[in-house]
Amino acid sequence: MLKMIFCVRKKKGLSDEEFFDYWLKSHGPLVASQTISLNIKRYVQSHAVDGEFGHEVSAARGMKISGFDGIAEIWWDSRKELDLALQTENGQAASAILAEDEARFIDMERSTIFFTEEHCVFQAP
């Protein structure tokens, strides 16, 4: 499986409550409405909690990058499935719709995206 990880920082001027509410209640359903056009298998939002604690733990490890407000994870069966979706008119339109909406609440210059393949090291019974 291919997974996209979108490390998100909110736009300046938005409170945490406004940001998380919009992301979950408006953008989340918008992503869900585009799953067929984009061949998406799963979508998960992880909203940051206790940001100060995160900064303390990061600083203790020598990290200098400030934290993210959350991450979004999107899964596809394969890179080929994502590529096939993006080659269609519907997939391109869906991608544009999502990007336009993300620009409303995400600070794109301070956010980042990368792709992964998971390797489970262990799983508790």
Side-chain angles (χ1 to χ4, degrees):
M1 292 203 80
L2 178 71
K3 178 168 56 169
M4 182 185 86
I5 299 178
F6 191 164
C7 301
V8 177
R9 289 191 175 106
K10 68 182 177 185
K11 276 195 161 188
K12 290 183 179 167
L14 289 176
S15 70
D16 286 349
E17 184 177 343
E18 291 169 325
F19 172 74
F20 290 126
D21 186 66
Y22 186 87
W23 189 15
L24 185 62
K25 295 178 183 171
S26 295
H27 188 72
L30 184 61
V31 174
S33 75
Q34 302 301 321
T35 57
I36 293 172
S37 294
L38 291 170
N39 292 335
I40 294 172
K41 297 301 176 193
R42 184 173 186 216
Y43 172 63
V44 173
Q45 293 178 5
S46 297
H47 300 190
V49 295
D50 202 354
E52 187 58 35
F53 181 59
H55 292 300
E56 290 171 11
V57 171
S58 295
R61 293 183 177 191
M63 298 174 182
K64 298 186 189 294
I65 296 175
S66 63
F68 292 97
D69 294 301
I71 62 170
E73 298 169 283
I74 300 178
W75 285 260
W76 291 270
D77 282 336
S78 66
R79 168 71 188 265
K80 181 179 179 181
E81 288 297 311
L82 171 57
D83 288 343
L84 287 172
L86 294 175
Q87 291 171 11
T88 68
E89 192 174 309
N90 286 344
Q92 291 169 12
S95 183
I97 288 166
L98 295 180
E100 180 181 340
D101 191 57
E102 290 159 358
R104 289 185 175 103
F105 68 103
I106 296 173
D107 183 337
M108 292 301 195
E109 290 183 6
R110 296 177 55 239
S111 300
T112 192
I113 291 175
F114 61 98
F115 290 85
T116 69
E117 289 182 356
E118 293 181 347
H119 301 274
C120 183
V121 176
F122 78 92
Q123 184 169 334

